[in-house]
Amino acid sequence: MRGKSSGTEIPPLNTTEPIRRTALNRVFAVVYTCAIFALLYHHVETLTIRSRNPFVLVVSFCLLLSDVILALMWATTQAFRMRPIHRREFPGNLQKVVRPREFPALDVFICTADPFKEPPLSVVNTALSVMAYDYPTEKLSVYVSDDGGSALTLFAFMEAAKFAAHWLPFCKKFNLMERNPHAYFSSSSSTSTHACCSEIKMMYESMKVKVEHVVESGKVGDENITGDREREAFSKWTDDFTRHEHPTVIQVLLETSKDRDITGHFMPNLVYISREKSKTSPHRFKAGALNVLLRVSAIMTNAPMVLTLDCDMSSNDPQTPLRVLCYISDPATRPNLSFVQFPQRFRGLSKNDIYASEFKRLFLINFLGMDGLKGPNHVGTGAFFCRRSLFGSPSTLISPEIPQLHPNHVVDKDKPIHESPAMLSLAHHVAGCNYENQTKWGSKMGIRYGSLVEDYYTGYLLHCEGWRSIFCNPDRPAFYGDAPTTLVDLLNQHKRWAIGLLEVAFSRYCPITFGIRTMGLMGLAYAHYSFWPIWSIPIMVYAFLPQLALASGISIFPKISEPGFLLYLFLFLGAYGQDCLDFLLEGGTFRKWWNDQRIWLIRGLSCHLFGTLEYLLKSLGISAFGFNVTSKVVDDEQSKIYSQEMLDFGVPSPMFVTLAVAAIVNFFSFSFGFLQMICGSEYNEGLPLQMLLAGFIMLNCWPVYEAMVLRTDKGKMPTKVTIVAAFIAWTLYAAAFHLSFSK
């Protein structure tokens, strides 16, 4: 951004730099495409010329299908490699362009749903970290959606409002960078810098003890209520009040116009909301909660900027809003800008990220590629939205059903919220469970319904409407969250994602058709995500069929002396090599990359497979699925297993069965093939590729073998899972031998 003002050149607010390896990516794409066509030709030739043995025909057809899917997914990946860019912003230049009093107001949305899986204290820490932003206090409001309808969460935030009067001035007095109280007091800086730190820490510990005691007891007792205002708030939790059936609860805990901290400065707005729930009305999970926040906040503050956060995703940089303004205030990037997306980062990851929770490809490498097109997709947290973009396309504003919800509506700031019964009454009304009936909420306005992955779906439709987004990836992470530390939590989370993505893939807005027609190459990038779960098909095929053929003494891959052998090697090494190179060039390590690709295989053999099957059953009307909150609570044993970088199989799950079967089949097939090669069997020249494949999967399955045989801790594979897997493996071998020797 450059211009002239009083003869002085305006400093830049942001810059863009193309990534230099783009040209090499394009050349490699051409070469790799030719190799893919050669492989598909080989498969067709095999099907038409080779043996009519039923087993060989089945395997050959499945390999063809798998490689077509792999080719499709590889083609969608190229959208990320055609124009990747790096951005950089300069918040230090912002006040030379925009005065602080001209900054747009900011509404922060924090969603929680279960006080036992998402501890209220963790949600409180997230709220306190954003309330302490280096941003004009009168322009900052924090709204907390409690979809669990829990008095425990409200109590935690009442205590947080009291503590905030001390915490916010403490952060600004000492210019802290880490403004999540728990993270700050757990760091070394809290013990070595500020003399008054011990006093504020005692206040935090006192609040922590109160909140944790109430959560453990499961109720807010009379001894915890200190005033009539609190007693009136908790009186709404009657015997008929349940998490699935209750009226709207809105509690204004802090108000800018009247609440001051200990230094006399006004504090940000802090509002607790638990929307009305009824078993007879769909609540639309997180998407429904966010739309209620959009409407209630529109009634009370209607800030033009909206930040959405998961309950555990706390601020790690108090200047994050200023980085966003570097794009919103720049005439070059402002037009059609819908949201600025920050990557998800997680604290407490194991040294080599055993569960690949860093999501380096998902949240960084792919985002760099999308940023060179129309911008990254929304990932549910860490996104600063322009409120206007949630009400129609850039050229067509969709007006809400009442004027108070209009994105350009100006709220009367002269009258405090607590002195405006009409405002509170309207806020309760728009949070009702039947309010959206016969409106455009969820279809044309707000967060979109129709998928369990409402973040991906909303971002996709916003891009289709003509909006853009920007990927902001500063050196200091803007947010830190908590990643799953058990395998079953990770797989359940990804199974939910798989179902939601397939809902988009097979909807009227399918990215392959509607997306590409609307956005071109950007539609291909979205198609990569929507068809993510079908990775399970080629992974399942390559994890089982070549190995069963190997155990049956049947060669299905080219011999070493044939050109096809080199073709397979090039395709395998080329894909893995490029993936590893991208990973390393963006700051990863080889060990982290290895764990990342192993988790990719594990997902394909478990949660992606089960998610695909569950989606198919739901589509046939046989079953229905719900939304399971990922637990943020970790016990000491789980924490120990995670810190030792061992996979945790301690909770019996059907998803572990297919993983264990694959480990068993590959082990015995590799052993059989090795014995055949030693014995000098006449067909051993055709077995090396099958041996290499089985050996590669065995190497990835080493943690499974450990869990099945060597480990004695709570994270070992359940005996029941091992027995069931062994029986299924034996059945597969029996079926393969029967087919291979049938005429």
Side-chain angles (χ1 to χ4, degrees):
M1 173 182 175
R2 293 189 179 274
K4 296 288 182 179
S5 177
S6 302
T8 304
E9 187 177 5
I10 297 177
L13 294 179
N14 58 81
T15 58
T16 302
E17 180 183 359
I19 295 178
R20 288 182 291 179
R21 62 180 181 273
T22 302
L24 292 176
N25 285 340
R26 294 175 180 178
V27 172
F28 181 78
V30 173
V31 175
Y32 202 85
T33 300
C34 295
I36 288 174
F37 280 117
L39 178 65
L40 297 179
Y41 174 80
H42 167 76
H43 282 311
V44 173
E45 185 181 42
T46 300
L47 278 172
T48 56
I49 298 175
R50 294 282 295 271
S51 168
R52 295 297 176 182
N53 182 299
F55 184 67
V56 174
L57 286 175
V58 169
V59 172
S60 298
F61 176 78
C62 290
L63 290 177
L64 172 60
L65 175 64
S66 297
D67 286 339
V68 168
I69 293 174
L70 289 173
L72 171 66
M73 296 305 291
W74 180 85
T76 61
T77 304
Q78 300 317 297
F80 306 117
R81 295 191 167 112
M82 290 300 101
R83 195 177 177 271
I85 60 173
H86 281 295
R87 292 185 188 270
R88 187 182 176 193
E89 54 284 334
F90 306 98
N93 294 338
L94 188 63
Q95 293 194 26
K96 300 175 184 177
V97 179
V98 185
R99 296 181 184 135
R101 68 168 180 262
E102 297 172 348
F103 287 176
L106 171 63
D107 288 343
V108 181
F109 298 166
I110 301 172
C111 294
T112 185
D114 188 327
F116 300 105
K117 289 187 176 181
E118 299 172 334
L121 194 64
S122 174
V123 191
V124 160
N125 282 315
T126 296
L128 289 170
S129 72
V130 293
M131 290 171 67
Y133 268 152
D134 287 337
Y135 207 72
T137 303
E138 70 278 6
K139 294 178 179 289
L140 183 60
S141 303
V142 177
Y143 294 85
V144 179
S145 169
D146 177 17
D147 240 19
S150 173
L152 310 179
T153 303
L154 177 57
F155 175 79
F157 272 91
M158 286 181 170
E159 293 299 311
K162 301 171 188 175
F163 176 68
H166 302 269
W167 176 247
L168 302 190
F170 175 78
C171 291
K172 293 179 181 179
K173 178 180 179 180
F174 296 105
N175 195 27
L176 302 186
M177 290 298 289
E178 177 58 82
R179 299 189 180 183
N180 173 327
H182 174 74
Y184 174 72
F185 292 128
S186 300
S187 66
S188 57
S189 58
S190 67
T191 60
S192 60
T193 52
H194 314 306
C196 59
C197 178
S198 57
E199 182 181 349
I200 193 77
K201 184 175 182 179
M202 286 179 60
M203 293 181 187
Y204 175 73
E205 291 297 331
S206 175
M207 177 187 72
K208 179 180 177 181
V209 169
K210 286 183 182 178
V211 172
E212 290 183 342
H213 172 72
V214 166
V215 172
E216 287 175 8
S217 65
K219 65 178 182 178
V220 181
D222 289 339
E223 69 278 8
N224 302 118
I225 301 175
T226 58
D228 293 338
R229 186 183 174 194
E230 292 184 3
R231 183 167 283 103
E232 180 184 357
F234 289 116
S235 66
K236 298 170 185 175
W237 273 266
T238 63
D239 293 338
D240 296 329
F241 193 112
T242 68
R243 63 175 299 161
H244 301 295
E245 192 94 26
H246 62 79
T248 298
V249 179
I250 298 178
Q251 194 71 23
V252 180
L253 302 173
L254 291 175
E255 192 171 353
T256 298
S257 60
K258 74 179 184 68
D259 292 300
R260 299 174 183 262
D261 61 30
I262 58 171
T263 63
H265 293 95
F266 287 114
M267 292 196 290
N269 294 314
L270 177 61
V271 182
Y272 168 92
I273 301 169
S274 181
R275 58 184 170 136
E276 183 186 15
K277 287 281 192 72
S278 172
K279 293 179 180 179
T280 59
S281 300
H283 57 83
R284 311 290 187 179
F285 307 112
K286 183 180 176 182
L290 285 171
N291 280 334
V292 168
L293 290 178
L294 272 172
R295 294 194 294 271
V296 172
S297 66
I299 301 297
M300 294 183 173
T301 50
N302 206 32
M305 275 202 315
V306 171
L307 166 62
T308 61
L309 286 177
D310 283 343
C311 65
D312 63 319
M313 194 62 62
S314 63
S315 168
N316 186 57
D317 183 355
Q319 293 201 336
T320 296
L322 305 184
R323 293 187 178 277
V324 175
L325 291 187
C326 287
Y327 297 106
I328 291 179
S329 303
D330 187 345
T333 55
R334 183 171 57 233
N336 298 349
L337 177 61
S338 174
F339 61 92
V340 177
Q341 178 69 60
F342 288 81
Q344 288 197 45
R345 299 290 182 85
F346 302 97
R347 59 169 59 90
L349 295 179
S350 64
K351 180 181 178 181
N352 294 301
D353 192 14
I354 190 69
Y355 291 133
S357 297
E358 192 176 28
F359 294 111
K360 186 172 286 291
R361 176 157 294 284
L362 178 65
F363 294 148
L364 178 57
I365 298 173
N366 288 355
F367 276 14
L368 296 175
M370 297 179 81
D371 205 20
L373 301 174
K374 295 191 68 170
N377 64 294
H378 176 38
V379 295
T381 185
F384 287 78
F385 281 90
C386 296
R387 187 184 288 261
R388 160 65 183 86
S389 68
L390 297 171
F391 293 84
S393 68
S395 59
T396 305
L397 172 65
I398 297 178
S399 295
E401 53 286 348
I402 58 175
Q404 292 89 338
L405 300 182
H406 196 286
N408 297 329
H409 169 68
V410 178
V411 177
D412 183 6
K413 302 290 177 60
D414 296 331
K415 194 169 186 180
I417 299 173
H418 71 282
E419 295 180 3
S420 178
M423 179 183 290
L424 287 171
S425 175
L426 184 57
H428 280 76
H429 173 63
V430 300
C433 60
N434 294 317
Y435 177 80
E436 293 180 352
N437 294 347
Q438 309 303 316
T439 70
K440 296 180 180 179
W441 286 96
S443 58
K444 299 295 183 181
M445 292 189 303
I447 306 300
R448 309 305 164 82
Y449 304 149
S451 171
L452 285 179
V453 285
E454 78 294 324
D455 46 3
Y456 165 87
Y457 191 42
T458 300
Y460 167 58
L461 291 179
L462 288 174
H463 280 128
C464 288
E465 289 175 356
W467 294 102
R468 296 182 58 86
S469 60
I470 283 175
F471 181 48
C472 187
N473 183 34
D475 293 334
R476 180 180 177 87
F479 304 99
Y480 267 128
D482 299 320
T485 55
T486 65
L487 186 58
V488 71
D489 278 343
L490 177 81
L491 297 183
N492 282 329
Q493 181 186 63
H494 281 263
K495 186 180 79 168
R496 184 176 74 242
W497 293 356
I499 295 169
L501 291 169
L502 288 173
E503 288 177 319
V504 180
F506 295 101
S507 71
R508 57 186 287 200
Y509 297 112
C510 172
I512 286 287
T513 53
F514 183 84
I516 293 177
R517 186 172 68 250
T518 306
M519 299 183 289
L521 200 59
M522 187 70 177
L524 203 62
Y526 270 106
H528 176 78
Y529 289 119
S530 65
F531 287 97
W532 224 24
I534 68 170
W535 281 118
S536 59
I537 297 174
I539 289 175
M540 287 290 291
V541 168
Y542 275 100
F544 288 102
L545 294 188
Q547 292 78 357
L548 293 174
L550 175 63
S552 302
I554 297 175
S555 173
I556 60 172
F557 290 138
K559 297 179 180 180
I560 296 178
S561 58
E562 296 176 349
F565 180 84
L566 296 177
L567 177 63
Y568 268 97
L569 279 184
F570 170 75
L571 288 168
F572 177 83
L573 296 177
Y576 269 81
Q578 188 179 35
D579 185 74
C580 181
L581 181 63
D582 286 342
F583 202 93
L584 297 178
L585 290 176
E586 293 302 332
T589 65
F590 181 80
R591 284 288 302 276
K592 287 185 176 181
W593 171 81
W594 178 261
N595 288 333
D596 186 89
Q597 65 83 34
R598 175 165 59 201
I599 289 296
W600 174 75
L601 288 173
I602 289 175
R603 290 198 303 259
L605 290 167
S606 54
C607 56
H608 285 173
L609 172 66
F610 279 78
T612 301
L613 293 174
E614 194 165 332
Y615 169 77
L616 291 174
L617 291 175
K618 185 259 181 182
S619 300
L620 296 172
I622 299 175
S623 69
F625 43 72
F627 186 96
N628 296 315
V629 177
T630 303
S631 177
K632 308 297 190 302
V633 180
V634 182
D635 63 33
D636 292 338
E637 182 72 16
Q638 291 173 337
S639 181
K640 180 181 177 182
I641 292 171
Y642 182 70
S643 64
Q644 294 174 342
E645 299 209 311
M646 296 188 296
L647 299 187
D648 187 351
F649 297 94
V651 179
S653 170
M655 289 187 285
F656 293 160
V657 174
T658 49
L659 189 58
V661 173
I664 293 171
V665 167
N666 279 270
F667 175 79
F668 282 104
S669 294
F670 181 86
S671 302
F672 179 83
F674 185 72
L675 291 174
Q676 292 294 315
M677 293 184 72
I678 291 177
C679 296
S681 182
E682 61 179 10
Y683 44 76
N684 61 14
E685 190 185 354
L687 298 182
L689 272 179
Q690 286 159 264
M691 291 281 292
L692 287 173
L693 179 61
F696 177 74
I697 295 178
M698 280 178 58
L699 196 59
N700 276 283
C701 285
W702 174 250
V704 182
Y705 299 132
E706 276 188 320
M708 294 171 69
V709 179
L710 302 178
R711 287 168 57 180
T712 58
D713 57 66
K714 289 185 178 180
K716 69 178 181 178
M717 185 73 77
T719 304
K720 180 180 178 180
V721 172
T722 303
I723 293 172
V724 171
F727 175 76
I728 294 175
W730 177 84
T731 303
L732 290 175
Y733 277 123
F737 285 134
H738 175 73
L739 285 173
S740 60
F741 292 109
S742 62
K743 298 297 182 181

